[in-house]
Amino acid sequence: MAIRHYEPFDMLNQLQREVNRLFETNPLRHAQTEAELTTSDWVPAVDIKEETDRFVIYADLPGVEAKDIEVTLDKGTLTLKGHREPLHSGEQQSYKRSERVSGSFLRRFALPHTVDAAKVSARSQNGVLELVIPKTQQAQPRKITVEG
């Protein structure tokens, strides 16, 4: 039986950390790398789905036009980079509250070697960027018949 030192404020400290995390004002806190923190004003939220023949990434980019999004794939790293225009300074003064961030964004994803880099496609519609990343044929699961 292990003896554990009793700390009366452990639960209170844990609760405080959780509350602080909920009210974190810095949207970059959850960025993946230090480089993203230093080169981004904000980080778009993404969903990543794996299917049998491809990966699909959905990135929330409301207010960002397709011409302002740059997608590159280099040495197994997929990079999403772009810019959302800020509010005009005259308009900003009439706002009571402004929570939508503007400026540059950056997200990077390490892709497995099983993707077909030549067939990656991107489409932006209604503020959502959809990236389709097909897998190579060798990466496809293959059913092997057992003879007996």
Side-chain angles (χ1 to χ4, degrees):
M1 175 190 223
I3 296 175
R4 185 172 173 207
H5 182 69
Y6 175 69
E7 290 290 334
F9 295 105
D10 270 354
M11 293 298 286
L12 186 59
N13 289 335
Q14 182 179 355
L15 176 63
Q16 180 68 45
R17 284 191 302 273
E18 290 297 317
V19 169
N20 287 343
R21 190 179 61 78
L22 286 173
F23 292 103
E24 179 68 47
T25 57
N26 184 355
L28 299 176
R29 178 167 166 69
H30 304 291
Q32 293 178 335
T33 66
E34 197 66 33
E36 290 174 15
L37 287 172
T38 58
T39 59
S40 297
D41 296 317
W42 62 286
V43 178
V46 298
D47 291 336
I48 302 173
K49 180 170 65 168
E50 182 176 6
E51 299 173 352
T52 56
D53 60 338
R54 66 186 186 161
F55 295 96
V56 183
I57 298 176
Y58 299 99
D60 285 344
L61 299 171
V64 180
E65 296 183 32
K67 67 178 179 61
D68 296 326
I69 303 169
E70 181 183 325
V71 180
T72 57
L73 179 57
D74 184 36
K75 298 178 185 167
T77 301
L78 180 75
T79 303
L80 306 179
K81 191 163 81 170
H83 186 79
R84 179 166 43 205
E85 293 299 320
L87 298 171
H88 300 291
S89 59
E91 285 181 23
Q92 218 167 13
Q93 292 176 355
S94 63
Y95 280 92
K96 298 279 189 213
R97 183 178 187 129
S98 180
E99 295 181 351
R100 296 181 300 159
V101 292
S102 59
S104 63
F105 64 88
L106 174 71
R107 284 298 297 261
R108 287 194 174 113
F109 304 94
L111 298 178
H113 65 280
T114 58
V115 300
D116 189 349
K119 295 183 181 174
V120 174
S121 64
R123 181 174 64 124
S124 179
Q125 184 176 9
N126 297 328
V128 178
L129 176 66
E130 178 187 49
L131 294 160
V132 177
I133 307 161
K135 294 179 183 178
T136 59
Q137 288 292 41
Q138 296 87 359
Q140 304 299 323
R142 187 172 70 101
K143 186 174 181 177
I144 300 169
T145 306
V146 178
E147 297 177 19

